[in-house]
Amino acid sequence: MTSAATNLINHPDEGPGIHVLVLGVSRYLHIKDGESPTEKGLASRFGQLSSPGRSAATFAAWLIEKHRHPTHALRSLRIVLSPQDDETLPQSVAALLQGDHRATRANVEAAIAAFKQDIMEQRDDIIIVYAAGHGVQVTKQGATLLLEDYAADGQLNELHAAVDMTGLHNGFNGSIYPDNQFWFIDACREDAPNLSRFEAMVAGIQIDVHPGSVASSPIFFATGPDAKAYGSTNGTSLFCQGLMHALDKAAASTNKDPLSRDWVISVNSLSGNLQQFVKELAEKYPGLKQDIDLGGKPNNALFHQLDGPPHIKLELDLNPTAAKPGECRLSDDQNGPVMLEGAGWPFKAAIPAGLYLISVKPEHPYKEATRIVQLEPPAMEKNISTEVKP
């Protein structure tokens, strides 16, 4: 039988690598509508969820199927998952899940211990952590993930079956751990139940903090302090949807050099775009608001390199209006001229991102105009200004 601490993907000792830990909890045993509710569980405000298991598995599937790094390969992948029975998981993940993979306190603790053992003294490696489920906070900076057996009778403290995700993040920020890390916490950050009854609360599984620090360790929270994170019924969370959209080329940028052919997802390109995408997804629902929060040590680092330039939807318009109609030509040094849709302004095109020359021949008496522009995802609108001839 495969235990939760066993790698689902395991390619050790093959050079610098990427180690992944994914936690997802939709099913809770001891809260409302659980298999064995307890008095403490029923007194909490929590109900069953329908998206965290699928969201965590969707992120893991993206890593298996699409993630690409120019210098590091996937070395280990641990997934500890408690989905609802009717949550459909991506096949690439479902095929790997064997034995007891439930997100219980015991299984998660074993997975974290094995994950920790793999990455100690591996400064050149990269780690990626994604956690989804019910979340609470015991401090304004905190984020604690509740596990499947939260609120079981006989536990030592209120948050025994939980993981202090910010505490875990802080623990891995030490000189014995990989220098580049990426953390994604897809959970609410509301006050913990019964918080006012205690002077201090012990927030679940934690690890010791070592001296020193890592180079880059951003932590992307699905929401800010004292706020909710939302999911689609029988779908994935808004945070996961925004993240998948960002990673599937919409948050790509060139790697430093505008003339570079390498398009990447980095900490810098991901942070602003993810915020925009999640906010826009939430605004589709009346009265809903969700803003991501960025913490940790968000120094820029490369997360993913695309296999080619992303495509963008471009719209070009001409100012002033009196200069219309006129001819417009768009070209780059690799693909040559680009055909623009429509018989007039605004001209529209779906094109690969990159460096382009825009040439406009407006109506008399306006001058011809040229512009060199860097076109980047997710979409662009360009107004071309012209001048009156002397």
Side-chain angles (χ1 to χ4, degrees):
M1 177 177 289
T2 302
S3 73
T6 301
N7 292 346
L8 300 182
I9 290 177
N10 185 16
H11 304 292
D13 304 324
E14 297 178 7
I18 299 170
H19 300 272
V20 181
L21 175 66
V22 174
L23 312 176
V25 194
S26 294
R27 184 182 67 248
Y28 290 86
L29 300 178
H30 307 301
I31 64 175
K32 182 180 178 182
D33 298 324
E35 295 175 22
S36 53
T38 63
E39 182 177 349
K40 184 173 76 171
L42 291 174
S44 76
R45 62 179 178 272
F46 301 117
Q48 301 295 320
L49 300 176
S50 64
S51 66
R54 185 178 302 183
S55 299
T58 296
F59 178 75
W62 183 89
L63 289 172
I64 294 169
E65 299 166 11
K66 298 182 180 181
H67 186 246
R68 181 172 175 258
H69 195 281
T71 58
H72 289 60
L74 183 61
R75 294 284 177 255
S76 70
L77 169 64
R78 289 179 172 84
I79 306 176
V80 192
L81 207 63
S82 290
Q84 299 289 355
D85 291 340
D86 59 354
E87 273 187 283
T88 302
L89 306 182
Q91 183 58 35
S92 59
V93 170
L96 294 175
L97 294 175
Q98 303 291 330
D100 184 6
H101 54 76
R102 296 172 303 144
T104 61
R105 160 91 188 211
N107 284 349
V108 170
E109 193 166 22
I112 292 173
F115 179 72
K116 178 174 176 283
Q117 187 64 36
D118 274 355
I119 63 177
M120 288 177 64
E121 307 298 347
Q122 303 298 320
R123 294 288 281 178
D124 292 335
D125 284 354
I126 294 170
I127 69 172
I128 301 172
V129 178
Y130 187 102
H134 273 309
V136 299
Q137 64 178 25
V138 296
T139 68
K140 293 293 185 183
Q141 293 75 39
T144 297
L145 181 76
L146 305 184
L147 302 176
E148 181 187 283
D149 48 344
Y150 163 75
D153 288 332
Q155 293 177 340
L156 290 175
N157 52 63
E158 291 284 312
L159 297 176
H160 175 79
V163 187
D164 179 0
M165 296 306 304
T166 49
L168 197 65
H169 174 268
N170 292 338
F172 282 122
N173 180 29
S175 59
I176 66 169
Y177 296 115
D179 234 2
N180 286 292
Q181 307 181 10
F182 301 89
W183 293 69
F184 303 92
I185 311 303
D186 188 1
C188 296
R189 296 173 69 191
E190 299 180 287
D191 285 345
N194 298 320
L195 179 61
S196 61
R197 292 176 47 211
F198 299 92
E199 185 172 330
M201 294 185 77
V202 179
I205 299 170
Q206 304 179 51
I207 65 172
D208 295 329
V209 179
H210 287 262
S213 63
V214 301
S216 179
S217 184
I219 182 166
F220 295 89
F221 296 100
T223 190
D226 296 321
K228 292 179 179 290
Y230 297 93
S232 301
T233 303
N234 298 319
T236 56
S237 67
L238 299 189
F239 180 78
C240 181
Q241 291 173 41
L243 181 58
M244 291 299 99
H245 181 56
L247 296 179
D248 285 337
K249 303 185 178 183
S253 64
T254 52
N255 193 6
K256 297 181 181 179
D257 182 0
L259 298 177
S260 172
R261 297 298 180 187
D262 294 333
W263 285 85
V264 302
I265 307 289
S266 66
V267 175
N268 286 355
S269 69
L270 186 58
S271 57
N273 284 287
L274 182 56
Q275 167 75 4
Q276 175 188 340
F277 299 155
V278 173
K279 183 177 181 179
E280 290 176 351
L281 286 166
E283 288 174 348
K284 292 181 180 180
Y285 301 89
L288 212 62
K289 181 179 180 181
Q290 183 172 333
D291 292 313
I292 75 162
D293 192 19
L294 179 61
K297 193 175 183 180
N299 290 334
N300 199 28
L302 189 150
F303 182 73
H304 170 58
Q305 182 169 308
L306 281 62
D307 56 7
H311 275 67
I312 64 170
K313 293 181 179 179
L314 172 68
E315 182 171 313
L316 291 172
D317 209 350
L318 181 62
N319 288 323
T321 302
K324 306 174 186 179
E327 297 179 4
C328 182
R329 180 185 177 90
L330 185 68
S331 60
D332 73 354
D333 60 357
Q334 186 176 28
N335 300 312
V338 174
M339 294 297 296
L340 299 178
E341 300 174 9
W345 301 93
F347 287 100
K348 299 178 181 180
I351 61 173
L355 194 65
Y356 285 86
L357 174 67
I358 300 175
S359 303
V360 176
K361 292 183 179 180
E363 290 288 279
H364 179 78
Y366 294 96
K367 288 184 177 181
E368 294 184 11
T370 60
R371 297 286 185 276
I372 295 176
V373 294
Q374 178 73 22
L375 302 182
E376 297 186 350
M380 300 289 291
E381 293 183 5
K382 286 290 181 181
N383 288 321
I384 308 302
S385 298
T386 61
E387 301 174 5
V388 178
K389 287 185 177 180

